[in-house]
Amino acid sequence: MMTGMFYGVGVGPGDSGLLTVKGAKIIGSADIIIAPRSEKTDDSTALNIAKEYINEKTEIVDMIFPMIYDQDALDEAWLENRKIIGEYLEQGKKVVFLTLGDPMFYSTYIYVFRLLKDANFPIETIPGIPAFCAIASHIGFPLVEGDNIISIIPATADAEKIAATMKVSNNLVIMKSSRYFDNVVKNLDENGFLSNAVMVSKCGLPEEKIVRDLKNSSASDVNYLSTILARRN
Amino acid sequence: MMTGMFYGVGVGPGDSGLLTVKGAKIIGSADIIIAPRSEKTDDSTALNIAKEYINEKTEIVDMIFPMIYDQDALDEAWLENRKIIGEYLEQGKKVVFLTLGDPMFYSTYIYVFRLLKDANFPIETIPGIPAFCAIASHIGFPLVEGDNIISIIPATADAEKIAATMKVSNNLVIMKSSRYFDNVVKNLDENGFLSNAVMVSKCGLPEEKIVRDLKNSSASDVNYLSTILARRN
C-alpha cells in the first residue's frame, strides 16, 4: 500500500521570496527533501534557495540524476533513484523534489515526473516563477503585451529555426546565450530587435550584470546562464 | 518629498497559494491596495485571490483603468489615477497594485508601470506565476524541454503570423482560444500538434474543464479564457 505523496516544487530562479506560499508550506512539512544534482560535485542551487523553509526534522537526500535520460533505455542511476523514492512513498512519506524556476519549463524535473508517472506514483507538481519573469520585473522590461507573440528560444537550438522564429515573433526571450552569442546578436540585429534588447545574468544577486549594448559586447562578456529579453522595434 | 513606494504584485492565475512569499508579505504590509478594474461593473479577480493576505487596517481602493491606453494621448481617467497614486506616495504610503498572473506578461500593469515610471515614481514589481505554468503543473503537461523553442500566441494575433509561428515552434501555448477556435485547430492539425494538445479552462476551480480531443470540439465548447498547451508530434 502506497500512502505517501511525491511533490515537485518549483523554487523560482534564486530569491527565496519568490517561492510560492504553497511551495514553501509543502517544503516545510516534508519528510524527505530531494536535492537533485547532475554531478557528484555540483552544489544544489535549488536547496540553497529553499533552505529557509526546511524544517530541521526533515531528512535531506542528495540524489544524482545524470543529464542523460532516454525513456527507452533508462540509465541505472535513474532506476535506482526511482526505487529509493518508491520505498519512501511505501513508508507513507511526503517526498519533495526541488527544482529551479518552473518544474514544467526546461527542467530535469520533467524527466523525473515522467519516470514516476510511468510507475503510477502519486504526484503533485507546484509551479514556480520562471527566470525570465523574475528578470522582467526586476529590470522593468515588459515581456509581451496585446496581441503580440513571444517566443522563448534556447541559443543552443538549430540556427535556422532560431532565425525563422525571430522573423515571426514580436518579443523574445533567449536563454543560454553565451555559446552562440555572435549568431544571436546578428539575428537580433537583422530582425529589428537590437535597439530594444537587454542581457541579464545573475539577476538579483550581488554579481548581477545588465548589458544594454549588445552590439558592442562580445561572447567573453557573457555568462553561460545569461538571458536576453528583446522586443521588435 | 516622496517617501512612499509603489509595488506591482503578480497574484498568479487563481489559487491564493500560488502567490509568492514576497508578494504575500508586501500585500500584508500595504497601506493602500489598488484593485484594478477595467469597468465599473467588473469584479476584481486579483483582489479575490489576494484577500486572505490583506491586513484589516489596509485601505482598499477601487480604481478603474480603461482598457484603452495611448501613451501620447493619455486618457483623463489614467491621469486622474496617476494623480491619486502620487498623492498617496507623497504621504509616504506603501501602495500595492494587484495584477493577475505575472505583471510583465500580457497585463494592464504594463501600462500602469509605464505611466508611473514616466513620472519618476519609485516602483518595485514582484513577478507572479503565469497561468500557463500553473496549468502545465496541474495537468502534468511538460511545456518545453531541451533545445526546443516554445511560442506563446494569443489567438487574436494576425492569422498569418500564427501560422508562421506554428511552423517553426516545437511547443505552443495558445491563449484566448475561443474566438478563432476553428482556425487555431486547423493550424494545430496542419503543423502536427493536434495529437499532443490539450485545452484547459478555469484551471483548478470546481468549473475546470479539460478538453483533449480538440478535433471533435467546437467553438461553443470553448470558454473565452481557455488556454491550449501543445507539443509537436
Side-chain angles (χ1 to χ4, degrees), chain B residues 68-76 78-79:
Chain B
I68 299 146
Y69 177 87
D70 177 348
Q71 207 151 4
D72 297 321
L74 263 181
D75 188 282
E76 233 176 273
W78 282 82
L79 294 175

Side-chain angles (χ1 to χ4, degrees), chain B residues 159-180:
Chain B
E160 271 181 44
K161 274 200 167 178
I162 293 178
T165 305
M166 285 201 191
K167 275 199 179 64
V168 293
S169 302
N170 309 99
N171 299 74
L172 299 173
V173 174
I174 300 164
M175 303 186 319
K176 304 188 229 170
S177 38
S178 64
R179 197 156 156 207
Y180 301 94

Side-chain angles (χ1 to χ4, degrees), chain B residues 87-219:
Chain B
E87 284 165 5
Y88 288 135
L89 296 175
E90 271 162 28
Q91 294 161 23
K93 307 260 193 203
K94 187 167 176 179
V95 181
V96 174
F97 183 99
L98 304 175
T99 178
L100 275 175
D102 180 68
M104 291 297 182
F105 187 79
Y106 296 109
S107 165
T108 308
Y109 175 74
I110 293 173
Y111 308 114
V112 177
F113 173 79
R114 288 203 183 112
L115 181 80
L116 300 182
K117 202 179 164 219
D118 288 347
N120 293 312
F121 286 38
I123 310 175
E124 187 178 346
T125 308
I126 313 299
I129 301 283
F132 71 92
C133 290
I135 293 170
S137 277
H138 183 67
I139 68 170
F141 190 101
L143 287 165
V144 58
E145 54 199 291
D147 291 335
N148 287 337
I149 293 172
I150 183 167
S151 295
I152 299 155
I153 303 175
T156 48
D158 176 76
E160 271 181 44
K161 274 200 167 178
I162 293 178
T165 305
M166 285 201 191
K167 275 199 179 64
V168 293
S169 302
N170 309 99
N171 299 74
L172 299 173
V173 174
I174 300 164
M175 303 186 319
K176 304 188 229 170
S177 38
S178 64
R179 197 156 156 207
Y180 301 94
F181 183 73
D182 295 338
N183 186 48
V184 166
V185 170
K186 182 174 159 280
N187 274 310
L188 287 172
D189 197 8
E190 285 171 5
N191 289 289
F193 287 99
L194 208 53
S195 55
N196 288 308
V198 55
M199 180 169 67
V200 181
S201 58
K202 303 272 181 185
C203 180
L205 296 177
E207 318 88 276
E208 175 181 279
K209 204 173 158 188
I210 301 177
V211 178
R212 291 180 193 273
D213 183 5
L214 293 184
K215 199 154 191 170
N216 293 308
S217 302
S218 74

Side-chain angles (χ1 to χ4, degrees), chain A residues 108-168:
Chain A
T108 307
Y109 175 74
I110 293 172
Y111 308 116
V112 177
F113 172 81
R114 288 203 183 111
L115 182 81
L116 299 182
K117 203 179 164 220
D118 287 348
N120 292 313
F121 286 38
I123 310 175
E124 186 177 346
T125 308
I126 313 298
I129 301 283
F132 71 92
C133 289
I135 293 170
S137 277
H138 182 66
I139 67 170
F141 191 101
L143 287 164
V144 58
E145 54 199 291
D147 291 336
N148 287 337
I149 293 172
I150 183 167
S151 295
I152 299 154
I153 303 175
T156 48
D158 176 74
E160 272 181 45
K161 272 198 169 180
I162 293 178
T165 305
M166 284 200 192
K167 274 198 181 64
V168 293

Side-chain angles (χ1 to χ4, degrees), chain A residues 2-227:
Chain A
M2 199 178 285
T3 52
M5 185 79 179
F6 183 83
Y7 294 89
V9 174
V11 302
D15 174 351
S16 64
L18 295 187
L19 259 105
T20 63
V21 172
K22 192 174 184 179
K25 272 187 199 158
I26 288 170
I27 288 168
S29 63
D31 296 308
I32 309 281
I33 289 199
I34 298 176
R37 303 174 189 222
S38 57
E39 301 284 346
K40 264 194 182 121
T41 51
D42 277 3
D43 194 26
S44 173
T45 312
L47 184 62
N48 285 334
I49 296 169
K51 66 177 176 233
E52 71 181 78
Y53 303 108
I54 300 174
N55 193 302
E56 57 183 20
K57 290 177 193 159
T58 300
E59 186 182 345
I60 295 168
V61 177
D62 271 335
M63 219 174 246
I64 295 162
F65 290 86
M67 291 295 274
I68 299 146
Y69 176 89
D70 176 346
Q71 206 151 6
D72 297 322
L74 263 180
D75 188 283
E76 234 176 272
W78 282 83
L79 294 175
E80 176 63 17
N81 288 343
R82 181 170 74 183
K83 187 167 160 278
I84 295 168
I85 292 169
E87 284 165 5
Y88 288 134
L89 295 176
E90 271 162 29
Q91 293 162 24
K93 306 261 195 203
K94 188 167 176 177
V95 181
V96 174
F97 182 98
L98 303 176
T99 179
L100 274 175
D102 179 71
M104 291 298 183
F105 187 80
Y106 297 109
S107 165
T108 307
Y109 175 74
I110 293 172
Y111 308 116
V112 177
F113 172 81
R114 288 203 183 111
L115 182 81
L116 299 182
K117 203 179 164 220
D118 287 348
N120 292 313
F121 286 38
I123 310 175
E124 186 177 346
T125 308
I126 313 298
I129 301 283
F132 71 92
C133 289
I135 293 170
S137 277
H138 182 66
I139 67 170
F141 191 101
L143 287 164
V144 58
E145 54 199 291
D147 291 336
N148 287 337
I149 293 172
I150 183 167
S151 295
I152 299 154
I153 303 175
T156 48
D158 176 74
E160 272 181 45
K161 272 198 169 180
I162 293 178
T165 305
M166 284 200 192
K167 274 198 181 64
V168 293
S169 302
N170 308 97
N171 299 73
L172 299 172
V173 174
I174 300 164
M175 305 187 319
K176 304 189 229 170
S177 39
S178 65
R179 200 159 155 202
Y180 301 94
F181 182 74
D182 295 339
N183 186 48
V184 166
V185 171
K186 183 173 159 279
N187 274 310
L188 287 173
D189 197 7
E190 286 172 5
N191 289 288
F193 287 98
L194 209 52
S195 56
N196 289 308
V198 55
M199 182 169 65
V200 181
S201 59
K202 303 273 181 183
C203 180
L205 297 176
E207 319 88 276
E208 175 180 280
K209 205 172 156 188
I210 301 177
V211 178
R212 290 180 193 273
D213 182 7
L214 293 183
K215 200 153 193 172
N216 294 308
S217 302
S218 75
S220 60
D221 301 330
V222 185
N223 179 288
Y224 174 65
L225 287 174
S226 293
T227 299

